[in-house]
Amino acid sequence: METVIGVIGGSGVYDIEGLEDARWQAVEGPWGKPSDEILTGRLDGVRMAFLPRHGRGHVHSPSSVPYRANIDALKRLGVTDVVSVSACGSFREELAPGDFVVVDQFIDRTFAREKSFFGTGCVGHVSLAFPTCPRLSAACAEAGEAEGIRIHRGGTYLAMEGPQFSTLAESKLYRENWGCDVIGMTNMPEAKLAREAELCYASVAMITDYDSWHPHHGEVDIAAIIATLKCNADKARALVGRLPALLGASRGPCPHGCDRALDYAILTAPDKRDPALVAKLDAVAGRVL
């Protein structure tokens, strides 16, 4: 199978440099328009697809990002591996602004978003015990280390609804009682939808601040975040640039089963399935439907 790397760029990351045959193309599906056109091309012989999560010019808030349309569009382009890059706050002293964390767990506190491709007329339940792909995550960590980025392997990401930042009480709860490592607003339901679409998914959290818990840093400073974002964006592009060589132009089945997540997930009997919903699932779940 051909490797096709999809990159979802968060705040500050709006393109990929060095793509051959690069072009922005519109991809529409039954779940609506994605956040923006998708930049496609090749890097070191490997097909790439880049989608700015908030749209170029940052037009979507975390709550208005069309997550289902984004994942569906990447799947329609043949993407096999999705790398999410996003700005985050840190709950740990050792996870400093400018550091990257390759996330491997999530706590979802969002509440205003559609979180599944499945529903009435075609019910599906995927396993999310291990929501990221270890193989793809390891490649991201290796790429970051090769670029000299201070990168941490593993961490729990608290996904909040936003768009406001945390209160001090919330920040302390997530850090002290829940054991979270970073906080962001966009990796959920993205990771859930990627699993439903049988895509390998890795999350690279770019730390911009210490949220509001840190006694010596005070509340979140937007000006400081923007300055760190610019530096992090350059690091993120460098990390992504190393992935084609690490992943290769072809791949076998995911050793962790990400690409077979729907094998036993759909419970609705074939004769009871809603034809309209089944039609919308043509890209996401076509392999099993």
Side-chain angles (χ1 to χ4, degrees):
M1 177 188 294
E2 181 184 17
T3 298
V4 184
I5 302 171
V7 179
I8 302 177
S11 301
V13 183
Y14 302 113
D15 60 16
I16 296 178
E17 297 174 349
L19 284 183
E20 299 174 1
D21 303 320
R23 70 185 184 98
W24 289 93
Q25 63 181 99
V27 181
E28 288 194 42
W31 305 97
K33 291 184 178 180
S35 297
D36 203 332
E37 294 182 332
I38 298 176
L39 179 63
T40 61
R42 288 186 179 273
L43 195 61
D44 294 336
V46 177
R47 285 177 60 200
M48 304 283 288
F50 174 81
L51 174 61
R53 183 186 285 113
H54 297 280
R56 285 167 288 178
H58 207 106
V59 296
H60 284 288
S61 77
S63 298
S64 73
V65 169
Y67 295 97
R68 292 190 296 184
N70 287 351
I71 294 298
D72 177 81
L74 292 176
K75 182 80 172 185
R76 289 180 187 279
L77 287 174
V79 166
T80 56
D81 299 85
V82 175
V83 176
S84 161
V85 181
S86 57
C88 290
S90 168
F91 290 129
R92 305 292 162 209
E93 187 85 46
E94 66 273 17
L95 306 180
D99 289 7
F100 284 14
V101 180
V102 180
V103 172
D104 61 358
Q105 284 294 330
F106 297 98
I107 295 176
D108 186 1
R109 295 287 290 168
T110 65
F111 54 82
R113 310 171 190 191
E114 294 290 344
K115 299 189 179 187
S116 178
F117 290 109
F118 299 99
T120 303
C122 192
V123 177
H125 300 280
V126 297
S127 172
L128 214 69
F130 302 100
T132 62
C133 176
R135 175 191 60 87
L136 186 57
S137 296
C140 291
E142 185 176 344
E145 290 164 355
E147 280 296 324
I149 300 169
R150 183 175 155 88
I151 196 159
H152 307 264
R153 297 184 182 229
T156 297
Y157 177 121
L158 187 288
M160 66 185 298
E161 186 63 46
Q164 302 85 359
F165 293 107
S166 306
T167 67
L168 177 59
E170 289 169 335
S171 192
K172 287 184 174 180
L173 173 70
Y174 302 149
R175 164 182 153 80
E176 298 171 8
N177 296 84
W178 291 10
C180 299
D181 298 295
V182 296
I183 183 168
M185 302 179 187
T186 58
N187 275 199
M188 284 290 169
E190 193 175 85
K192 293 178 175 179
L193 295 168
R195 180 57 52 84
E196 288 187 344
E198 299 191 318
L199 296 171
C200 293
Y201 181 87
S203 172
V204 179
M206 308 179 296
I207 296 175
T208 59
D209 60 89
Y210 279 115
D211 204 50
S212 57
W213 66 270
H214 201 295
H216 304 303
H217 288 267
E219 62 190 44
V220 174
D221 184 327
I222 301 298
I225 286 178
I226 292 173
T228 306
L229 269 177
K230 293 179 179 178
C231 181
N232 282 351
D234 292 336
K235 294 178 183 177
R237 281 189 282 268
L239 183 156
V240 167
R242 287 187 176 268
L243 290 176
L246 290 171
L247 295 174
S250 62
R251 67 195 292 277
C254 173
H256 308 285
C258 300
D259 53 3
R260 302 179 298 282
L262 295 178
D263 275 356
Y264 307 103
I266 298 175
L267 300 185
T268 305
D271 63 328
K272 298 295 185 181
R273 294 173 185 169
D274 176 6
L277 179 53
V278 169
K280 292 176 70 173
L281 292 165
D282 63 333
V284 169
R287 185 185 70 83
V288 295
L289 290 174

